[in-house]
Amino acid sequence: MSLLVVGSIAYDTIETPTARRENVLGGSAPFFAYAASFFCPVQMVGVVGADWLSEYTEMLQKQKVDTTGIEIVPDGKTFRWSGKYHNNMNDRDTLETQLNVLGTFQPKLPENFRRTQYVFLANGAPSTGLAALDQIQGADLIVADTMDLWINTTRSDLDALLKRIDGLVINDSEAKMLTGEINLITAARRILTMGPKFVVVKKGEHGAMFISEYEIYVVPAFPVSNVVDPTGAGDSFAGGMMGYIASRQGNLDGETIKNALVYGTIVASFGIEDFSFDRYKQIDRSNIEERRNAFQAMTAF
Ligand code: AMP
């Protein structure tokens, strides 16, 4: 079983109402890969510059992430993103995006990544996702994420990508932006007409919802009292969800989907308790199971 992620690798500068961190590891691919690695081996594809620190490759390798798909551009600079959270710690403003090497990224998948069964196209330019899909044969499940930037600037590429994926993971405001609908269920159903067979809508501190033609499943967020930095929560949620599905051989019955939503929620709930990967480095699968059991007790009725 193999799970591949293609996405951004970043140095993030994060401001919250009480703290600030400069140039910490971020990006959609590392957050996804780390979260998924609690469930299955992961292959990661992305691009970095000469400023990349080998300790980050080592951190990912320790988690059974195959890093041979990380391209290092010797005269380039790694993608940088900076964001500032509002007092509610849910909304944020992007202060700066420096694409750097991400701007000209042409993914080149190592030979042994091309027949992978499960694929996640994490947040990045839709053209990058399309170029990756051109190199992949016979995947069982292809899921993608997207964001407002790509909806607004590369809509035709995004429309082409939507036709080639099985599932879309998207946050609530972006689902509305993509479809022009104000009701989330209606928006998700509209997305189903654009290509994907299912949509997972992320609602931040309000949880997540899975919608396909005949199914709707909802899961609340795990109540976290000390939210330190929500950056990467969406990617980590997707990593936990896809990692669990891959560990269940891609089974998409209702029970597996509901458990996948729960595992995505639980993994993300750890990530937001500290900056960057600091909280993840302290936990293992047993901590995830313990919190999952507490969540089950809270939500079962
Ligand atoms: P999330 O909090 O799940 O939305 O993910 C935040 C991560 O996405 C940060 O670590 C950023 O480096 C990364 N990111 C921000 N903007 C972009 C973008 N335009 N393309 C790809 N990744 C991005």
Side-chain angles (χ1 to χ4, degrees):
M1 162 243 311
S2 51
L3 172 60
L4 168 76
V5 58
V6 182
S8 63
I9 303 174
Y11 285 135
D12 288 342
T13 294
I14 313 287
E15 273 181 52
T16 72
T18 53
R20 179 183 154 89
R21 291 287 186 284
E22 259 179 58
N23 296 326
V24 292
L25 178 64
S28 56
F31 279 120
F32 178 94
Y34 205 113
S37 73
F38 290 113
F39 304 90
C40 69
V42 184
Q43 301 166 330
M44 186 175 126
V45 172
V47 66
V48 294
D51 50 359
W52 178 244
L53 298 178
S54 58
E55 68 186 69
Y56 294 137
T57 306
E58 286 151 23
M59 177 191 88
L60 292 162
Q61 285 171 346
K62 226 170 119 190
Q63 281 299 114
K64 292 197 291 297
V65 177
D66 184 336
T67 57
T68 49
I70 300 179
E71 182 192 345
I72 302 176
V73 180
D75 54 354
K77 211 175 150 193
T78 300
F79 169 61
R80 276 171 168 69
W81 176 80
S82 117
K84 182 176 175 161
Y85 285 89
H86 298 188
N87 281 334
N88 64 14
M89 287 299 271
N90 206 30
D91 301 316
R92 72 180 178 211
D93 298 320
T94 289
L95 299 180
E96 202 186 3
T97 301
Q98 288 177 28
L99 286 178
N100 301 331
V101 292
L102 193 65
T104 50
F105 180 41
Q106 303 278 346
K108 286 177 271 318
L109 273 54
E111 206 52 51
N112 62 322
F113 285 18
R114 295 178 181 216
R115 287 183 183 276
T116 193
Q117 289 165 284
Y118 308 105
V119 177
F120 190 74
L121 305 172
N123 201 356
S127 58
T128 305
L130 287 165
L133 289 185
D134 288 342
Q135 299 167 51
I136 294 166
Q137 282 172 12
D140 292 339
L141 184 69
I142 301 170
V143 179
D145 191 348
T146 195
M147 69 181 291
D148 49 2
L149 178 68
W150 314 117
I151 297 171
N152 291 327
T153 61
T154 56
R155 184 60 194 256
S156 60
D157 284 348
L158 181 58
D159 285 339
L161 184 69
L162 288 173
K163 292 193 176 65
R164 293 178 61 182
I165 61 175
D166 300 298
L168 182 70
V169 177
I170 188 166
N171 79 25
D172 43 5
S173 59
E174 289 155 355
K176 292 175 182 174
M177 182 185 286
L178 180 61
T179 58
E181 298 288 348
I182 49 170
N183 177 282
L184 261 191
I185 314 280
T186 314
R189 292 215 164 108
R190 271 287 296 282
I191 295 171
L192 295 179
T193 68
M194 299 174 180
K197 293 191 269 296
F198 66 85
V199 180
V200 178
V201 182
K202 298 172 287 183
K203 300 187 291 172
E205 63 180 344
H206 303 297
M209 177 171 73
F210 173 102
I211 294 204
S212 67
E213 189 177 358
Y214 300 112
E215 298 156 298
I216 298 188
Y217 302 115
V218 290
V219 58
F222 183 83
V224 173
S225 55
N226 59 326
V227 179
V228 174
D229 172 20
T231 308
D235 309 303
S236 303
F237 167 83
M241 179 188 88
M242 287 291 288
Y244 181 75
I245 291 173
S247 77
R248 306 282 303 172
Q249 278 78 44
N251 181 338
L252 281 182
D253 63 24
E255 281 310 302
T256 308
I257 292 167
K258 283 190 267 184
N259 274 298
L261 296 176
V262 166
Y263 277 113
T265 300
I266 297 301
V267 175
S269 77
F270 281 106
I272 65 179
E273 289 178 337
D274 210 337
F275 284 95
S276 190
F277 291 77
D278 292 357
R279 185 72 176 110
Y280 286 141
K281 287 191 233 164
Q282 300 168 336
I283 64 162
D284 59 24
R285 181 70 185 260
S286 68
N287 303 99
I288 293 171
E289 292 304 328
E290 201 179 304
R291 193 171 277 192
R292 180 203 177 278
N293 292 341
F295 194 50
Q296 185 167 40
M298 284 172 205
T299 53
F301 57 88

